[in-house]
Amino acid sequence: MSGNSGLVSGLGDLAHLSGAVTRSISAENPTGEKGRGGAATEGTGARAARDLGLGWKVSPSIRIGAGETATLAEIDGPGAIQHIWLTTHVSNWRRLLLRFYWDDDTRPAVEVPVGDFFGQGWGKFAQLSSMPVAVNPNGGFNSYWTMPFLNNARVTLENLADEDVIVYYQVDYTLTELGAQGDQVAYFHSQWRRSNPLPSKDVHTILDGVTGAGHYVGTYLAWGVNSVGWWGEGELKFFLDGDEEFPTICGTGTEDYFGGAWNFDVPGQGYTAFSTPFLGLHQIIAPDGLYQSQQRFGMYRWHVLDPIRFASDLKVTVQALGWRSGGRYLPLQDDIASTAFWYSGETSHSGPATPDLDTLEIC
C-alpha cells in the first residue's frame, strides 16, 4: 500500500489502497489533530451550544479582526491539500486576501482576493460547476486544486476591512509521500491583477515574472465593460520560453478562449451563461437602469486536460477589443481583473504589489 500516494486523479484511482493519512482542519479542529475534532470549549457557537455543551458545534467559524491576518491552516508534510471549503458574507469577497505558502517560503505562492480565487470577483453569487472549482448557493466556495508540499504548508486570510468578519472554512488534506523517487514536486500558484481602466491601446497582463519550468492551468476573468457594443474580440496570448514580440500560442478571440462562440449571443436570447467542467461564462450582470450601470461578466477556463507547459518563462496577456465605425476594431478601456493559476517547481514567484482595499473595490 505504501507505493500509492493516495492522490486521486480519476475514478480509477479509487480502486487502489494507499497508506496515505487523511486529515482535516477547520474551526472545530484548528490543528487537524487525530481525535480532536469538535473538542473546543470556546468559539463563535458557544452561546448557541450553552444548553448542549462540549461537542455540539461550539466553534463552527472564526472571527478575523479589522486589519488582522488569520492562519487557517499550518500543516507539516509531506502531503497535499486536496479540498478547501470556505464561506463568508458576500460583502467580504473582495475584502479578504487569501494566501498560501509552501515549504518555509516567506513569500506567498498564492495571493488573491478570496472571491476571485473561486470565480466570484463581482461580489455577487454566480453558480460555478467545474471540475477544480465549484461555487454553490449561497456562496459555498469549493476548491479541488491539488496542492502538494514537501515540508510544510500555511494558509492565511487577511481582513482588509475596517470591521470584523466571520469566516467558516475546512481544509482537507492528505499526509503521504509524493510521487516516485526523482520526481519533482510542482507547487500550486495563483496571482491576481487588475486594470481599471485598461489604458487605451494597451493589453491587460494576466501573468508575468514567472521563471523556471511549469505548466499553466487556469484563467478567471472578471470583466467590466465601459463601452457600448461587443467587447470580446481581443486575443489571449501565451509568451513561452523566450518569446519576445510574438507569442507561441495566440487565440482568436476572448469568447473563443473561454469555449464559446459568436459573442456568447444566442439569437433571441442574448448573452447566455454556461458552466462546464473546464470552461464557462458563468456570470452575466446586466445594467439595472440605475446605479448598476455597466455590463459585467465572469468567465473561466481550466487547462486541466490541456496544460500549457513552459521550460524557462511565461507571460500571459489579453487584448480588449470591440468594434467601431467602418468595420474597425475599437481598443477598449474596460475594467479587467484576472486570476491566473499555474504549477511550478519554485515555491514562489515575483508578482505585482499587494492590492489595497481601494484597488480591490468593486466600483
Side-chain angles (χ1 to χ4, degrees):
M1 289 193 297
S2 60
N4 180 0
S5 71
L7 299 183
V8 176
S9 60
L11 292 176
D13 292 336
L14 298 177
H16 302 281
L17 292 177
S18 171
V21 174
T22 300
R23 295 290 182 263
S24 181
I25 289 175
S26 69
E28 287 282 24
N29 189 354
T31 65
E33 185 179 352
K34 185 179 183 303
R36 294 301 299 166
T41 58
E42 298 180 354
T44 57
R47 178 173 171 78
R50 63 188 183 277
D51 295 336
L52 299 175
L54 188 66
W56 288 93
K57 204 171 181 177
V58 173
S59 182
S61 60
I62 62 171
R63 183 183 302 274
I64 308 177
E68 293 183 354
T69 298
T71 297
L72 302 187
E74 285 189 287
I75 309 167
D76 289 330
I81 294 172
Q82 296 178 293
H83 172 243
I84 297 170
W85 169 84
L86 185 149
T87 192
T88 185
H89 191 271
V90 63
S91 63
N92 301 326
W93 294 0
R94 267 280 178 92
R95 305 194 300 180
L96 297 174
L97 280 180
L98 182 64
R99 296 186 178 95
F100 294 77
Y101 302 81
W102 310 127
D103 290 350
D104 297 310
D105 197 333
T106 58
R107 186 170 63 177
V110 172
E111 185 177 72
V112 179
V114 69
D116 293 73
F117 186 82
F118 293 94
Q120 307 290 312
W122 288 118
K124 293 179 182 291
F125 168 75
Q127 179 68 41
L128 199 167
S129 304
S130 76
M131 184 175 178
V133 177
V135 179
N136 306 314
N138 184 22
F141 296 166
N142 294 270
S143 165
Y144 284 94
W145 295 110
T146 300
M147 305 179 189
F149 51 91
L150 292 175
N151 300 320
N152 51 68
R154 181 161 59 99
V155 182
T156 69
L157 202 57
E158 181 181 3
N159 176 17
L160 300 179
D162 58 3
E163 59 188 11
D164 294 0
V165 302
I166 298 294
V167 177
Y168 298 78
Y169 71 96
Q170 188 159 345
V171 179
D172 302 317
Y173 61 98
T174 186
L175 300 176
T176 184
E177 295 298 326
L178 297 172
Q181 186 175 5
D183 284 355
Q184 183 178 5
V185 169
Y187 296 96
F188 178 82
H189 298 261
S190 185
Q191 185 183 108
W192 184 87
R193 294 172 182 248
R194 187 182 192 183
S195 301
N196 183 29
L198 182 68
S200 179
K201 298 182 181 180
D202 203 348
V203 299
H204 173 76
T205 297
I206 295 172
L207 184 61
D208 198 5
V210 175
T211 58
H215 42 278
Y216 187 87
V217 295
T219 308
Y220 163 69
L221 293 184
W223 194 300
V225 178
N226 290 328
S227 300
V228 298
W230 170 235
W231 46 272
E233 288 299 327
E235 297 174 337
L236 271 287
K237 298 183 178 182
F238 292 82
F239 298 80
L240 313 174
D241 303 334
D243 289 343
E244 295 182 357
E245 183 178 2
F246 298 106
T248 295
I249 298 174
C250 183
T252 59
T254 306
E255 83 273 42
D256 309 340
Y257 172 75
F258 290 100
W262 300 110
N263 307 7
F264 302 121
D265 175 10
V266 176
Q269 185 172 302
Y271 289 119
T272 301
F274 64 99
S275 184
T276 73
F278 303 117
L279 37 75
L281 174 77
H282 64 293
Q283 187 162 43
I284 301 168
I285 303 174
D288 66 358
L290 189 61
Y291 301 121
Q292 301 295 321
S293 60
Q294 307 303 114
Q295 289 184 320
R296 289 169 168 171
F297 302 89
M299 52 204 130
Y300 64 91
R301 176 167 174 176
W302 311 136
H303 295 269
V304 173
L305 300 182
D306 58 340
I308 297 176
R309 301 191 184 277
F310 54 94
S312 62
D313 56 86
L314 174 67
K315 178 180 179 180
V316 186
T317 66
V318 60
Q319 299 168 329
L321 286 177
W323 290 101
R324 70 189 318 159
S325 61
R328 295 173 294 157
Y329 291 134
L330 172 66
L332 301 176
Q333 295 179 268
D334 286 347
D335 177 2
I336 304 172
S338 61
T339 305
F341 301 83
W342 75 100
Y343 285 87
S344 167
E346 305 296 325
T347 53
S348 68
H349 293 279
S350 62
T354 298
D356 58 20
L357 203 56
D358 287 346
T359 301
L360 294 168
E361 186 177 6
I362 300 167
C363 55

